[in-house]
Amino acid sequence: EEWLTRRNWYRPTVVLSDRKGVIAAGLRASHFLDDKPENLEEARIVSPETSLYLLYRPYNGGAVYPKIHRVYGYEAFLSALT
């Protein structure tokens, strides 16, 4: 969170959990960014109204996931929010 705050993110929240999809649903998150496809797949099922974004990393680069948008950096994710 400190790293994000230093980069001018307003009140960021970083969640450490094996059940991030359930947390996104509980928060009724409008958008969800993660680098782990499994977290996004869970969110797609339990939080269908949440817009999902996979942050590109070499270990997740090859696969395509339905209803999950791939972004290549935080700036691309922020652009999707506007």
Side-chain angles (χ1 to χ4, degrees), residues 49-61:
E49 300 301 317
T50 302
S51 296
L52 306 172
Y53 295 85
L54 177 64
L55 181 61
Y56 172 80
R57 294 291 183 251
Y59 51 82
N60 69 23

Side-chain angles (χ1 to χ4, degrees), residues 7-41:
R7 284 154 181 79
N8 298 319
W9 286 60
Y10 177 71
R11 296 176 53 193
T13 300
V14 176
V15 177
L16 303 176
S17 172
D18 291 340
R19 303 296 314 270
K20 289 184 182 176
V22 173
I23 292 169
L27 292 172
R28 296 187 346 210
S30 61
H31 296 76
F32 177 37
L33 173 69
D34 205 294
D35 64 338
K36 188 174 178 185
E38 296 83 0
N39 289 334
L40 295 164
E41 282 292 317

